[in-house]
Amino acid sequence: MVTKREFADLQEKVLNQEKIINSLQLQVKILDYKVIQINAEKAFSSHINTILAEKLDDLCQYNRRPCIAMDGLPVEKGESIVQIEDSVKAVLKDNLGFTEETVNKEFDKAHRIGPKFYNRQQTIVKFRSHDFKSKVYNIRNSSTNSNIKIRPSLTKRREDLLEECTASFTGLPLFHFAFADCNGNIKIRTKSKIINIQYFNVRNR
């Protein structure tokens, strides 16, 4: 038989264990709250970083407003910047029909960018005004040289977005193609309309 003294000692031990358990449960709740707080702060920071990245991309793309990308311009061995610019001017005059006076007035500069493929390398061309860039872009399909392709100059983020749109939607019933407009906005052409695409799941590379 348990004596009163033994029973009291047992009760005290149980109460002490309950206090320990309650203390541990409180610590777990505090840790859970801290985890929730940390996750919320991480989500908020990620959201802010995404917004800042998008704003920075918008600014970079805006700075490209007077620029086009020209594909298919042959690469000459040891070519200088002057030779590249002369080649671009020749395309503008001989293939797109602009006068020499207009070209000299509106052309600013040009440079090569990216890897070479079959003696071809992308050329970025900058004009002195967005209006003239738009004129060049709008008559790009009238070029007498089918090897020269003119398209918008895009940031890396938008190049990735365009690529991802094409990869994600190709094969879907309504999808026709993805493209970038004159101002670098990424869009999708369906069988019935054009949809503007902004930023979704863009892989960082």
Side-chain angles (χ1 to χ4, degrees):
M1 179 180 291
V2 179
T3 64
K4 288 184 179 180
R5 179 63 183 171
E6 290 173 336
F7 183 75
D9 290 342
L10 185 60
Q11 266 190 324
E12 185 177 356
K13 287 180 180 178
V14 170
L15 289 174
N16 288 335
Q17 290 298 320
E18 286 180 348
K19 288 179 182 179
I20 292 172
I21 290 171
N22 290 336
S23 176
L24 291 173
Q25 288 177 335
L26 178 61
Q27 291 180 42
V28 168
K29 287 182 179 179
I30 292 172
L31 289 174
D32 285 342
Y33 174 76
K34 287 183 178 179
V35 168
I36 292 171
Q37 190 176 34
I38 290 170
N39 287 337
E41 289 173 354
K42 285 175 64 178
F44 179 74
S45 296
S46 177
H47 177 65
I48 293 300
N49 288 338
T50 298
I51 291 175
L52 291 175
E54 292 176 3
K55 295 298 182 185
L56 178 60
D57 181 76
D58 287 341
L59 180 60
C60 291
Q61 187 61 48
Y62 183 82
N63 288 336
R64 294 170 182 252
R65 290 180 81 240
C67 301
I68 60 167
M70 187 177 288
D71 296 326
L73 199 65
V75 177
E76 301 294 337
K77 186 175 181 180
E79 65 186 3
S80 65
I81 291 295
V82 172
Q83 287 174 306
I84 297 171
E85 293 179 346
D86 286 343
S87 296
V88 171
K89 289 178 182 178
V91 171
L92 296 172
K93 291 183 291 185
D94 301 339
N95 303 129
L96 294 175
F98 291 103
T99 65
E100 185 169 359
E101 180 182 2
T102 299
V103 171
N104 289 336
K105 177 184 175 183
E106 298 290 349
F107 178 85
D108 188 0
K109 55 188 174 183
H111 67 276
R112 300 284 194 183
I113 188 172
K116 296 179 184 178
F117 293 104
Y118 299 103
N119 199 38
R120 297 288 189 275
Q121 188 178 21
Q122 187 181 115
T123 306
I124 302 299
V125 182
K126 183 180 180 183
F127 299 107
R128 290 197 172 95
S129 71
H130 175 257
D131 287 343
F132 186 74
K133 186 284 289 280
S134 298
K135 288 180 182 178
V136 172
Y137 185 79
N138 289 336
I139 66 169
R140 66 193 184 283
N141 292 329
S142 66
S143 173
T144 58
N145 186 345
S146 60
N147 293 322
I148 303 295
K149 305 297 182 186
I150 293 173
R151 59 187 184 84
S153 175
L154 301 176
T155 63
K156 180 65 167 62
R157 189 179 181 89
R158 293 183 191 229
E159 290 274 12
D160 287 349
L161 180 58
L162 181 58
E163 181 182 326
E164 187 158 329
C165 283
T166 301
S168 298
F169 298 123
T170 296
L172 295 181
L174 296 179
F175 177 75
H176 195 188
F177 58 85
F179 68 100
D181 68 13
C182 181
N183 295 317
N185 300 308
I186 309 302
K187 301 185 176 185
I188 287 178
R189 162 72 77 176
T190 69
K191 295 188 183 210
S192 60
K193 61 183 178 179
I194 293 177
I195 302 172
N196 290 321
I197 300 295
Q198 293 182 340
Y199 300 91
F200 73 100
N201 191 28
V202 180
R203 296 183 292 267
N204 292 321
R205 301 179 181 179

